[in-house]
Amino acid sequence: MDTKTENRAAEGGRAPIGVFDSGIGGISVLKKMISLMPEEDYIYFGDSANAPYGDKPDSEVLRLSESVFDLLLSKGAKGIVVACNTATSVAVRKMRGRYPDLPIVGIEPAIKPAAEQNRGGRIVVMATSVTLRRPKFARLMESFRDQAEIIAMPCPSLVEYIENDRTDDPALMEYLMKKFSRFADHPADAVVLGCTHYPFIADKIRRAAGPQAVLYDGSDGVAREIRRRLAEKNLLKDAAADPERKKALERCGAGHSGIGGNIEILNSAGENQIRLTRRLLGL
Ligand code: DGL
């Protein structure tokens, strides 16, 4: 590596990782990233003013995603995680074309591990209507069709329960019970949480799907993938190389508590949603 490249990598290493979702759901992914890379700085943008993306035309989801990219890049993000299945399916390819040098990682329904671990079983994929109607999803489903029975379950309006902090509303449990009632005779072996909001109601989904159902979500893979992509470009923050930072991390118990770097939370809907985000993140 020449000196110029080294300098750029060192500067980039100190920049935050951008993470975004249509709202607060991407926090389930950010949590995994923090536990894998506690020393990193993060900037999270939730577009709650425009949530849900999942019921919008693709062109609108693309336009919204583009403006979030602009925002995160204007704040110096060294890589971007699209912690939203819906925005990933519509926008990630285009964004990679536009920013070929920027590490960009999206999320897709975790059908692969579900199919591999439940061969011959029944797998229900819960996601928004946009995610399920995209060709990307059809291809994903097709490639595992001979390993398991895969059933798509569009869940319109489910995101709103989480966005509006109504996860204790009895109507939510009714919604889920109704959705899963069609599988009463042959319950699902696995349920894929194909929307980053759903891990926040995992206990209720488990109750509706039955105790046999194993839940899968893609956030672990996303966290590992962005770390790999940043490492490849020498853009990870090297805590050990900065003695002051290392001491600060040790003082706050990073690696144990899991939180070491700075986390900036932004939300298009304002303060209430930022408070809810912080609560979900455990801040
Ligand atoms: N968390 C988003 C996802 O993973 C929700 C999309 C929406 O806003 O409808 O798809």
Side-chain angles (χ1 to χ4, degrees):
M1 210 183 335
D2 60 30
T3 322
K4 218 167 127 202
T5 316
E6 254 171 29
N7 288 346
R8 212 170 39 231
E11 278 163 29
R14 287 194 292 272
I17 305 174
V19 183
F20 101 86
D21 178 42
S22 61
I24 58 177
I27 291 297
S28 59
V29 179
L30 178 59
K31 274 183 165 178
K32 292 277 168 58
M33 294 169 66
I34 293 169
S35 63
L36 193 66
M37 299 172 285
E39 67 285 357
E40 290 290 337
D41 294 340
Y42 297 92
I43 171 160
Y44 181 90
F45 182 81
D47 196 7
S48 295
N50 293 301
Y53 280 11
D55 305 336
K56 290 184 165 49
D58 294 1
S59 56
E60 180 69 359
V61 176
L62 179 61
R63 191 187 64 75
L64 292 167
S65 304
E66 281 169 347
S67 61
V68 179
F69 263 73
D70 288 347
L71 174 83
L72 292 173
L73 290 173
S74 75
K75 293 197 153 270
K78 63 184 174 185
I80 294 183
V81 168
V82 182
C84 175
N85 292 262
T86 310
T88 296
S89 63
V90 175
V92 154
R93 253 183 75 192
K94 294 200 177 69
M95 292 298 120
R96 287 198 183 117
R98 185 173 299 177
Y99 305 107
D101 292 329
L102 181 74
I104 298 173
V105 174
I107 187 165
E108 64 180 18
I111 293 181
K112 187 173 190 277
E116 286 171 354
Q117 289 162 33
N118 295 276
R119 283 181 192 271
R122 169 172 277 190
I123 298 170
V124 171
V125 185
M126 301 173 72
T128 68
S129 310
V130 171
T131 301
L132 297 177
R133 72 162 184 254
R134 294 287 301 173
K136 189 176 190 288
F137 180 76
R139 283 195 297 273
L140 185 65
M141 200 160 149
E142 186 56 32
S143 50
F144 293 99
R145 215 173 51 144
D146 54 349
Q147 293 188 25
E149 180 194 12
I150 301 169
I151 302 168
M153 183 196 269
C155 296
S157 312
L158 191 49
V159 160
E160 282 98 315
Y161 283 99
I162 301 119
E163 267 310 306
N164 300 331
D165 201 13
R166 284 175 51 216
T167 53
D168 289 330
D169 187 333
L172 168 59
M173 202 57 225
E174 275 165 36
Y175 177 109
L176 293 171
M177 293 305 284
K178 197 162 160 216
K179 280 276 175 196
F180 280 93
S181 63
R182 62 183 267 222
F183 305 121
D185 292 342
H186 179 173
D189 301 293
V191 177
V192 174
L193 308 183
C195 167
T196 53
H197 282 72
Y198 303 165
F200 292 112
I201 51 166
D203 54 336
K204 294 188 168 63
I205 292 173
R206 203 170 281 118
R207 249 163 65 206
Q212 78 299 329
V214 181
L215 269 43
Y216 292 85
D217 79 75
S219 50
D220 260 329
V222 169
R224 282 197 303 272
E225 181 62 7
I226 189 70
R227 185 174 63 172
R228 191 187 70 76
R229 298 284 306 280
L230 291 170
E232 216 170 57
K233 290 191 177 290
N234 199 22
L235 284 174
L236 284 175
K237 184 186 273 180
D238 185 3
D242 178 346
E244 280 313 304
R245 181 153 194 98
K246 189 162 185 252
K247 267 188 248 149
L249 284 174
E250 278 163 6
R251 270 200 306 278
C252 69
H256 305 290
S257 73
I259 294 186
N262 297 320
I263 303 166
E264 188 181 355
I265 308 279
L266 304 170
N267 193 294
S268 56
E271 268 314 308
N272 275 352
Q273 227 52 13
I274 291 178
R275 263 195 296 279
L276 178 56
T277 308
R278 291 188 168 281
R279 173 147 60 80
L280 291 177
L281 199 51
L283 290 177

